[in-house]
Structures are given as structure tokens and as C-alpha cells.
Amino acid sequence: MRADRIFAYGATAGLIGDQLLGDPRRRHPVAAFGRAAAAVERRLWRDHRGWGALHTLVCAGGAAAGAALAARAVRRHPAASVALTAAATWSVVGGTSLGREARAIGGALAAGDIALARERLPHLCGRDPHSLDGPQIARAVVESVAENTSDAVVGALVWGALGGVPGLVAFRAVNTLDAMVGHRSPRHLRYGWASARLDDVVGWPGARLTAALAVVAGGHPRRAVRAWRADAGKHPSPNAGPVEASFAGALGVRLGGTLAYGGRVEHRPVLNGAAGRAVRTEDIERAVRLSRRVGVLALGVCAAGRLIAGRWSATGRRPAAGRSGK
């Protein structure tokens, strides 16, 4: 079986597994990687970019190398290759768990339980929840759903289509490292620089595909395109900007504004400010549904692209008609 079909079948099975089961509740491979990365940090940490780059190389490179060895071990067995791709996809995508967390916070807000919503918000994003009111929490949830649709679903599928199981695992490793050390805390300002920049690079194609699919799936393509073009570049993140702006336009809401991370306040530009309204609790469910549609479309695009590339490659290797092949 060709590698393109292995990816298409395995990624489809893995995404279905995620939608049916969500993340593994115990012994999650990403959690195990996080513990290993933290142990490496304890040994390597210096307030220096070079040591942080070494940390990124050891952790992300080690994860990718292990995945490559596993893929190589089963390459002569199509069923095992499909199963490995499915398991890797299920492990690295997190769309269902993302939706569950968002809906749990939305349910707390709908019930008027602000304290519970604040308690659950750190499960979804790194915001400081203590000073947020209901609409601000709802806005934070919608922004997190938009950004994590790219980080937790689409980006992984893109790199899986490009690199198979090693691509899936490497993307999740880089994204996890960015979440661990890529933020601008005093400890990680220099040490996490390499992880943050590498995450920007590997996240670039998935973010643009996510934004484009939000335009298609959101029901308001003109609004989404207008917000993407007008506001994406205002966001400090080169990848979150297109995704959040496109979601804002598709949902007809305003995103961005003042944020607080661990006591540090940021004043970000408002996305879709001219045409959007303030986020309401019910917009959380709308964002989750849009995220699911984008994830399914991303699977279709990535699988189709991999199949087309595989067919072109097979055609190029085929001997031309009339040649002896000697």
C-alpha cells in the first residue's frame, strides 16, 4: 500500500477515534513527552538562547526520531502502518477535548456560576481568570477555541500529510515545547526563544489553512475574509492572528483587547471591531461547532492533497510507453 493511502486511512481513523473517545485519560503520550521535556529542562536550563535551542533539538528531535524508527519498523506491513498512523493521529489531535472544555465553561457561564467558569478556564488557556467577568471569559474561550483549532487539529494534520507519523509527532512536540517554555516569562525569555520561533515556523501552514477553512465553513465568507485581511496582521502572533480574525468574522464577534497572563497585562488590537459585536455565552457553542467543521474539512484537504501528490509521484516513476526499461 502506498504511503499516501496509509496516511489517508490512518488519519481518518485517528480523527474518528478522537471524536468518539477524546484524549486518552491516562498515560497520554503528550503528557509523557511533557514530563520528559521538563526533566531535560531541569538538566539543561541556562538563561541563554543556545541552551534553549539545544533543549528544543533534544526534545523535538528525539520525538521525531523515535516516530521515524517506529514507522520504519512497520513500513512493510500496511495494516500495522495504518494502525500506527491512526494511533499517532489520535494521540496528537485534541479537537474533542478542546470542545469539551469550552462547553464546560460555557455551561458554567449559562448557569451563572462565574466561580466555576474561572476555575475551569486555565484548563483551556493561560489567561489569569480572577479579574474576568462573564463576557470576558466567553471571549477568552472563543479565542482559545480558534487558536487551538489550528494548534491541536489542523496543524498536526498538515504535517502528518507532509511527513507521515514523524510529521505528526514532531509538530505536537514543537507545539508542546512552545506551551511549556515559549512564553515570555523571566525564566524562559531567552531559554524558550528557539521553541517559540520554531513553533511559529511549523504553525504557519496550518494557521493559514485553518483561517481559509473557517471562511468556507463559517457561513459568512465575506465577513471572515474582510476580518482576516484587515486585522490578522495586527495580532502579535503571526499564526494566531489569521485564525482568530477569520473566526471573529465568521462568527460576527469582536475578539482581542486587554488580556492578562500571570500578572502581565497585554493590550492587543481588537479583531473585527468595526463589524462584530461583543462575545456572548452562546457564541462558545457556535465556535466549537465551527472548529469541528474546520477539523473535518482539514482532514479532507490533507488526505486529498497527500493522495494527489502520491499519484503524481507514482506516475513520474512509471516507465514511459515504448521504452524497454533497460
Side-chain angles (χ1 to χ4, degrees):
M1 187 185 298
R2 295 201 312 255
D4 54 343
R5 294 180 180 176
I6 288 172
F7 171 75
Y9 299 155
T12 300
L15 196 64
I16 291 173
D18 175 67
Q19 293 189 351
L20 293 177
L21 304 173
D23 286 335
R25 295 186 179 275
R26 300 179 63 184
R27 299 179 181 178
H28 197 303
V30 176
F33 171 81
R35 290 191 294 270
V40 173
E41 181 185 354
R42 288 193 294 271
R43 296 294 297 272
L44 293 183
W45 186 89
R46 305 287 190 282
D47 191 16
H48 191 276
R49 285 184 176 182
W51 285 94
L54 179 60
H55 176 250
T56 303
L57 177 63
V58 169
C59 295
L69 289 174
R72 183 180 179 86
V74 299
R75 64 179 178 173
R76 298 184 185 278
H77 307 281
S81 295
V82 171
L84 179 63
T85 303
T89 303
W90 176 45
S91 297
V92 304
V93 301
T96 296
S97 295
L98 171 65
R100 286 175 181 170
E101 288 294 338
R103 283 170 168 152
I105 298 171
L109 290 175
D113 194 342
I114 300 297
L116 178 59
R118 288 172 177 161
E119 180 183 339
R120 295 197 67 97
L121 185 62
H123 297 173
L124 192 63
C125 64
R127 307 279 176 87
D128 183 358
H130 300 293
S131 61
L132 301 182
D133 60 17
Q136 290 171 326
I137 293 174
R139 191 193 82 196
V141 172
V142 172
E143 289 171 355
S144 296
V145 168
E147 184 174 1
N148 283 295
T149 299
S150 175
D151 288 343
V153 182
V154 181
L157 293 174
V158 167
W159 283 99
L162 293 173
V165 171
L168 287 164
V169 172
F171 175 81
R172 174 55 58 220
V174 171
N175 190 251
T176 302
L177 288 174
D178 178 60
M180 295 177 67
V181 303
H183 44 83
R184 295 184 176 181
S185 66
R187 175 179 174 86
H188 294 131
L189 183 61
R190 294 183 181 87
Y191 188 82
W193 178 86
S195 292
R197 297 292 77 77
L198 183 58
D199 184 68
D200 287 343
V201 172
V202 301
W204 196 96
R208 273 71 193 169
L209 179 58
T210 303
L213 294 178
V215 170
V216 174
H220 299 282
R222 290 185 179 179
R223 294 191 322 201
V225 170
R226 189 182 305 117
W228 182 2
R229 294 181 61 184
D231 297 331
K234 301 175 183 177
H235 198 286
S237 168
N239 295 329
V243 174
E244 291 186 19
S246 185
F247 264 66
L251 297 171
V253 299
R254 295 192 302 270
L255 299 178
T258 302
L259 313 173
Y261 289 93
R264 177 171 51 87
V265 176
E266 292 185 14
H267 300 283
R268 293 183 179 176
V270 175
L271 308 179
N272 198 38
R277 56 167 174 79
V279 177
R280 298 194 288 256
T281 299
E282 56 266 29
D283 294 319
I284 293 175
E285 178 62 28
R286 297 175 61 223
V288 170
R289 291 180 180 177
L290 176 57
S291 174
R292 288 178 67 89
R293 292 195 296 271
V294 168
V296 172
L297 288 174
L299 173 65
V301 170
C302 293
R306 188 72 177 87
L307 288 168
I308 291 171
R311 182 169 297 179
W312 283 348
S313 177
T315 301
R317 292 195 301 267
R318 193 174 299 152
R323 293 182 181 177
S324 66
K326 294 182 180 178

